[in-house]
Amino acid sequence: MQTRITSLRHARTAIRILVACVVAAMMLPTIGACTSPRIAGRAESEHQVSECEIAYRSATAGDERARTAPLLERYLAASSSAQAWQTVAAICPQRLSEGIIRSAQAQWNAQNIAASLSTTYTASTTDGNALRRQRLDGVTSLPLDNTALRHLALAEDRAGSAMQLLAAKNAPGATLTLSDNHHAAGSQLMTLAGNTGDLRQKEYDVSTLIANPSTATDHNTGLTAASAAIVEMDCTLEELAALSAAGQAPTTGDAATRTQQMLTVIRLVTGHCYQAFANGYPSGDFAVFASTSKQ
C-alpha cells in the first residue's frame, strides 16, 4: 500500500513539472516580443555622417581614381580631389596640414597628367575660385587670432627675403615676382593683425643660401633639392605650424563665411607647397610628410 501511495506522489510531481514546462514554453514568444531583436546594420545606417567625413571620403576616392583610372579620368579626378582636400583642411581642424599638402599633391599630379594630354591645368574649380594664391589682395578678414597672423607674416617675409637673394643670384626657380608676392602677403597679414607686435625682421640669416644658391640639403629630410624649392617648403611648413597652433578670432559671421575665409588662407599655403614642387621639391609622401612630422 505504501508503495502505491509513493508511486502516485511521483506521478503527480511529474505531471506538475510537465505542466510547468508547457506553460514556460508558451510564455517564451511573449517574453521575446518585449525585446526587439538587433537588426543587422541598423546602428550603422543610423550613424550621422559629418561634413568632415563626407569631404574626406570624396578626397580619398578622388586620389584613388587619379591613380588607377584611364588617363583623362585620372586628370579630372586629380582636379576634383584637389578641391575636396581643401574642403577637408577647412572643416576638419585635425586634418588641416594633411588637407593642404594633399591638395598641392593632387594639383601637381593634375599638372603632370595635363602635360601628357597636351592641355593646361588651371588649378580652378567650376565656380572660378583659384585653388592657389600667392598674396591676399582684397582680403579684409580672416578667422585667425593676431598671434597666428603675425607668425604667418613672419614666414612670408622670411621667404620673400630669401627668394630675393636667390633671384639676384639667378638661382633656378627663383624670381623677383615670387619674392614680391611673399613680401606683399606678409604686409597684408600684418595689416589684418592690426600692425602690432610685428615679428618681421629687417635682416635674416642667409649664409646657407649664399653658399648654396642653386641646390642645398633640406634640413627637414636630408634630401638634396633646389634652394628655391626648399625656401618654399620651409615657408609652407612654418605656416602649417602657425595654423595648427592658431586660435580662432571672434567672428560674427556664420559657419559658411568662416569656411570661405579659412579657404583663403589654405589656398595661400597650398600655393607655396605647389610652388615647392614646381621648383623641384619631391612631392612624394616620403618627403613632405617626413617634413611635417618634424614641425
Side-chain angles (χ1 to χ4, degrees):
M1 190 67 176
Q2 181 67 30
T3 302
R4 183 180 178 185
I5 294 173
T6 301
S7 299
L8 288 172
R9 286 175 181 171
H10 286 318
R12 289 170 183 166
T13 300
I15 291 171
R16 290 193 190 103
I17 293 173
L18 178 60
V19 170
C21 290
V22 171
V23 172
M26 293 175 65
M27 291 179 66
L28 282 176
T30 305
I31 295 173
C34 296
T35 304
S36 298
R38 184 185 186 280
I39 300 174
R42 179 174 180 178
E44 292 80 356
S45 65
E46 291 177 349
H47 171 68
Q48 295 296 315
V49 181
S50 68
E51 291 184 3
C52 174
E53 289 177 290
I54 293 172
Y56 184 77
R57 291 176 184 178
S58 175
T60 53
D63 281 353
E64 178 63 24
R65 290 195 304 276
R67 286 191 297 269
T68 61
L71 195 59
L72 179 57
E73 188 177 342
R74 284 172 51 199
Y75 170 69
L76 296 174
S79 302
S80 174
S81 177
Q83 174 64 59
W85 277 117
Q86 290 193 349
T87 302
V88 169
I91 66 178
C92 308
Q94 74 279 12
R95 294 189 179 276
L96 186 143
S97 293
E98 179 187 8
I100 288 174
I101 291 174
R102 292 294 188 201
S103 179
Q105 287 178 318
Q107 292 179 56
W108 183 241
N109 187 25
Q111 165 65 31
N112 292 328
I113 296 174
S116 300
L117 295 170
S118 299
T119 188
T120 301
Y121 175 61
T122 59
S124 296
T125 59
T126 53
D127 62 1
N129 290 326
L131 296 180
R132 299 192 303 270
R133 62 187 308 157
Q134 298 292 341
R135 44 200 292 164
L136 298 171
D137 296 348
V139 176
T140 58
S141 180
L142 292 175
L144 301 169
D145 63 15
N146 289 342
T147 298
L149 292 172
R150 288 193 288 266
H151 279 92
L152 291 173
L154 172 60
E156 293 288 347
D157 195 65
R158 195 197 317 273
S161 296
M163 198 62 71
Q164 184 176 24
L165 171 67
L166 293 177
K169 290 183 170 292
N170 296 315
T175 68
L176 289 177
T177 298
L178 286 174
S179 173
D180 290 344
N181 286 339
H182 278 297
H183 281 306
S187 296
Q188 290 160 342
L189 286 161
M190 272 311 305
T191 298
L192 294 173
N195 290 316
T196 58
D198 196 342
L199 301 176
R200 293 175 297 173
Q201 304 168 31
K202 292 183 179 180
E203 295 182 1
Y204 298 93
D205 182 7
V206 292
S207 56
T208 301
L209 293 176
I210 292 175
N212 306 281
S214 297
T215 60
T217 300
D218 178 25
H219 62 91
N220 293 301
T221 62
L223 299 171
T224 299
S227 296
I230 294 174
V231 166
E232 292 291 346
M233 185 53 69
D234 282 347
C235 181
T236 299
L237 297 175
E238 192 173 349
E239 293 187 337
L240 289 178
L243 290 175
S244 296
Q248 294 183 17
T251 177
T252 57
D254 57 17
T257 298
R258 185 190 179 282
T259 297
Q260 287 303 314
Q261 291 176 339
M262 197 63 198
L263 282 170
T264 300
V265 185
I266 288 166
R267 287 163 182 164
L268 178 70
V269 186
T270 303
H272 301 327
C273 190
Y274 179 91
Q275 189 62 50
F277 298 155
N279 285 351
Y281 197 91
S283 62
D285 287 2
F286 71 92
V288 286
F289 285 102
S291 297
T292 55
S293 67
K294 296 188 178 183
Q295 295 304 302

